[in-house]
Amino acid sequence: MEDKISFTLHKKIIQEDWEESPCSTCFPSACCSYLPLTFMQLETRTDFLNLALLSCYHHIRLGLKKSGEWTVYFQRDCRFLDTVTSKCRIHGIENQSFICKSYDAHKCWYRPAFQSHQNEELILFDLDRLLLLEKETDFLKTGYIKNSLNWDEIIMRISRLPLETRAAKNDEKTGFPDNVLAFKRNYPERFLFFPPFEKPKRDAHFDLFRFRLGFPGISLAVADNCWATMVHTRINKYLFRRFALKYFPSLKAEHGCFSFFQLNKDKWFYSEIGEKWVIVQLEHIESLKRITRFDSSDNIERLPTTREIFALILSEKPEKPDRAA
């Protein structure tokens, strides 16, 4: 699967005062609640299995565009979003991601696409809607979905089925006791890994990390030859069993294309601290940049090793109070 999410940042800052921005009248601020993780296509039975399996995870939502492109979203409020006023608490200040600062709110795609469950821009899918699409197209039997339904028919039929409204509470822990995660203990029921599966190459890449890490449940998993976006979630066991029993009785969570089990089939991972990811959180990004060497064009000349990153994180941990004091 070729992923289109890249590290390219080339827009200029067009941010304006909050009261003058269209964002000030946008509720519930979809761009701050739906983090795009990757893009997919539905062309094979394996694609269908992966989309269905993803839809069994809490906070994962699928979106279908008219072009036939599927987007995998992580649906949680950005930690800087004031859910009462729908205002960004760091709007216009240095800590705000350049991705947010450069977004043209006057040409916003999110607002029309997410303002209702039935529109011309996007159709949101959960597992039931995905299974209805399969039923309408008989995709698993024929292996063919393109042009079997036109866009208007998909909107009409799928939108009749309400989206699942039950949602997991925003209470998943995002930290790790030792700030590491062993490769062999990848827990496919809890952790998903998303591209780009590569090391950053420019200063601007750190802004993508800063943007993504602003969403609770998102961490950066770092090995010496690969950096990946890690989503901390939980599989809905009821949905998973219902889907597996009907379609793929031998299905396991590790069979999903974004589990470490599948990722490790295509890529070999190396870490100086042993077979472990170093888990980086938002509060580590600026310090991580300081120990990264850049050239005069902001290209990265040298990244710190996992050993150096782990030492950095440990050095920044707050000291525990002395109980004997």
Side-chain angles (χ1 to χ4, degrees):
M1 179 188 67
E2 183 179 354
D3 190 86
K4 290 170 37 180
I5 289 181
S6 70
F7 286 137
T8 303
L9 292 174
H10 53 78
K11 299 179 181 178
K12 62 180 181 179
I13 296 178
I14 53 176
Q15 202 168 36
E16 56 198 339
D17 292 339
W18 176 257
E19 291 75 13
E20 300 175 2
S21 171
C23 299
S24 63
T25 59
C26 181
F27 295 91
S29 302
C31 66
C32 305
S33 305
Y34 285 83
L35 172 66
L37 293 170
T38 192
F39 303 98
M40 301 178 66
Q41 297 290 332
L42 178 52
E43 298 176 347
T44 68
R45 293 178 178 87
T46 300
D47 293 337
F48 175 79
L49 183 150
N50 284 317
L51 287 169
L53 189 52
L54 281 169
S55 68
C56 293
Y57 284 88
H58 291 294
H59 302 301
I60 297 294
R61 189 70 89 187
L62 307 175
L64 174 63
K65 297 179 182 178
K66 190 174 183 178
S67 63
E69 180 180 79
W70 292 78
T71 305
V72 181
Y73 293 99
F74 184 61
Q75 185 185 4
R76 286 191 68 175
D77 294 333
C78 173
R79 68 185 69 202
F80 301 115
L81 176 67
D82 187 323
T83 55
V84 176
T85 64
S86 203
K87 181 178 180 179
C88 175
R89 291 195 291 266
I90 58 172
H91 180 85
I93 68 175
E94 184 179 357
N95 291 345
Q96 189 180 26
S97 165
F98 186 83
I99 292 175
C100 300
K101 290 179 180 179
S102 63
Y103 188 71
D104 189 350
H106 294 275
K107 299 179 181 179
C108 181
W109 176 84
Y110 281 87
R111 190 164 188 167
F114 287 87
Q115 65 184 356
S116 70
H117 295 317
Q118 182 174 349
N119 58 76
E120 296 297 323
E121 301 288 339
L122 180 79
I123 305 175
L124 292 175
F125 278 77
D126 54 15
L127 180 62
D128 287 332
R129 283 190 167 190
L130 190 63
L131 297 183
L132 177 60
L133 179 64
E134 193 284 322
K135 180 180 178 181
E136 294 285 348
T137 60
D138 205 18
F139 173 72
L140 288 181
K141 181 178 179 180
T142 64
Y144 183 78
I145 196 170
K146 287 188 175 180
N147 300 324
S148 56
L149 287 177
N150 63 43
W151 183 247
D152 291 334
E153 289 177 321
I154 294 177
I155 291 177
M156 180 182 67
R157 299 186 190 190
I158 300 301
S159 61
R160 290 175 181 173
L161 184 63
L163 279 169
E164 175 62 64
T165 56
R166 291 183 302 170
K169 295 181 180 180
N170 292 345
D171 58 358
E172 286 89 350
K173 296 179 180 179
T174 58
F176 300 86
D178 299 315
N179 298 102
V180 296
L181 180 67
F183 293 158
K184 293 182 179 179
R185 300 182 64 189
N186 59 84
Y187 302 112
E189 299 84 5
R190 291 172 53 197
F191 301 121
L192 298 173
F193 295 84
F194 288 91
F197 302 121
E198 57 184 279
K199 296 190 293 184
K201 298 179 177 65
R202 303 201 315 274
D203 176 47
H205 299 172
F206 281 90
D207 195 72
L208 175 63
F209 302 145
R210 182 186 294 108
F211 172 67
R212 286 185 165 186
L213 293 174
F215 289 79
I218 300 294
S219 300
L220 183 62
V222 177
D224 282 296
N225 61 336
C226 176
W227 294 32
T229 297
M230 187 175 75
V231 174
H232 190 182
T233 178
R234 288 184 292 113
I235 200 166
N236 184 316
K237 294 181 180 179
Y238 166 74
L239 291 180
F240 176 77
R241 284 194 294 263
R242 181 161 66 89
F243 171 69
L245 288 174
K246 184 174 181 180
Y247 292 92
F248 302 96
S250 60
L251 183 66
K252 297 180 181 179
E254 65 187 33
H255 294 156
C257 64
F258 298 110
S259 72
F260 179 77
F261 180 84
Q262 294 298 323
L263 183 60
N264 200 31
K265 285 184 175 181
D266 302 321
K267 193 173 184 67
W268 174 76
F269 296 92
Y270 166 74
S271 175
E272 283 192 1
I273 62 170
E275 296 186 348
K276 299 174 183 178
W277 297 103
V278 177
I279 307 303
V280 175
Q281 308 293 357
L282 179 62
E283 59 267 25
H284 305 137
I285 288 297
E286 287 305 313
S287 298
L288 185 54
K289 281 185 64 176
R290 284 197 293 270
I291 62 172
T292 299
R293 188 167 70 230
F294 300 89
D295 64 17
S296 58
S297 300
D298 288 331
N299 295 313
I300 294 175
E301 289 186 335
R302 182 187 180 276
L303 280 168
T305 66
T306 50
R307 189 181 304 278
E308 293 170 323
I309 297 172
F310 185 49
L312 170 72
I313 293 173
L314 290 181
S315 69
E316 294 186 340
K317 271 190 173 183
E319 294 184 6
K320 294 183 179 180
D322 188 352
R323 294 183 179 180

